[in-house]
Amino acid sequence: RWLLLDFKREFPLGAVAALWETAWARHRTRHFNCFVVCAMTEAICATLPSTCLQLDQLLVHFDQATRKLDADAVLSNARGLVYALCNEDPATLPAALAGIAEPFSPS
């Protein structure tokens, strides 16, 4: 049931299936869903007006973005974020990101 809820509100069912299939592939990270959320946030923030919004206005803006996101663009951006992180020098990353985008090898 949890899987049905994740991303179902933001994307059509077929796109949700593609998002989860990509996340389950665990290519270079076990946390691809986190990169998808970052890419979604980037896409929504790109449409924000240049003026400062109150918190309630910001929440309404994010809520109105429901089902308006391009799943292919979000997936592409999420992959780009993973690859960008993989190319960073591990010594320059914050401790919280250490190991988040290393090649995943099942045990």
Side-chain angles (χ1 to χ4, degrees), residues 9-10 16 20 25-26 33-34 37 56 60 67 69 73-74 94 101:
R9 183 170 172 231
E10 288 82 8
V16 172
W20 276 108
R26 293 184 171 181
N33 55 328
C34 295
V37 171
D56 58 336
V60 167
R67 302 239 177 197
L69 295 173
V74 168

Side-chain angles (χ1 to χ4, degrees), residues 28-45:
R28 301 194 62 104
T29 181
R30 317 173 195 207
H31 308 286
F32 189 74
N33 55 328
C34 295
F35 290 93
V36 170
V37 171
C38 289
M40 288 169 54
T41 303
E42 270 189 358
I44 294 170
C45 286

Side-chain angles (χ1 to χ4, degrees), residues 20-81:
W20 276 108
E21 183 176 340
T22 305
W24 286 334
R26 293 184 171 181
H27 177 68
R28 301 194 62 104
T29 181
R30 317 173 195 207
H31 308 286
F32 189 74
N33 55 328
C34 295
F35 290 93
V36 170
V37 171
C38 289
M40 288 169 54
T41 303
E42 270 189 358
I44 294 170
C45 286
T47 65
L48 282 173
S50 59
T51 60
C52 288
L53 297 176
Q54 298 294 323
L55 180 60
D56 58 336
Q57 294 170 318
L58 188 61
L59 292 173
V60 167
H61 182 78
F62 270 73
D63 190 53
Q64 289 174 343
T66 301
R67 302 239 177 197
K68 294 180 183 170
L69 295 173
D70 178 0
D72 291 333
V74 168
L75 266 176
S76 178
N77 190 17
R79 285 187 200 107
L81 292 170

